[in-house]
Amino acid sequence: MKLVGFALVVIGIVGLLWGGISWTQQEKVVDMGPLQVNKETEKSLPVPPIAGAICLVVGAGLIVVGRRR
């Protein structure tokens, strides 16, 4: 339960501070022997602030409940 709580707290903090998670994905478009063409696309997973706050509160609650047992 503590592990899930910590994960939710981290997701909540990321959601509140940065508004989500973004990353760059590279994919091969053309591969003709020595000639290669790659395309970079930026993907993102937006986290609304209210969802970040809920994750933070629920995660903290799970950590507290896990310590009591």
Side-chain angles (χ1 to χ4, degrees):
M1 246 197 195
K2 284 185 190 179
L3 184 62
V4 174
F6 282 121
L8 285 174
V9 167
V10 169
I11 291 171
I13 291 171
V14 168
L16 288 174
L17 294 179
W18 288 288
I21 302 169
S22 63
W23 66 94
T24 304
Q25 185 176 4
Q26 203 174 45
E27 59 183 296
K28 201 177 289 185
V29 178
V30 176
D31 187 9
M32 295 174 32
L35 176 66
Q36 292 183 354
V37 178
N38 293 325
K39 176 184 173 186
E40 287 187 2
T41 56
E42 187 164 326
K43 306 254 180 168
S44 64
L45 178 64
V47 178
I50 190 73
I54 290 171
C55 286
L56 190 61
V57 170
V58 170
L62 287 176
I63 292 171
V64 169
V65 168
R67 286 188 181 169
R68 288 186 182 175
R69 288 186 178 186

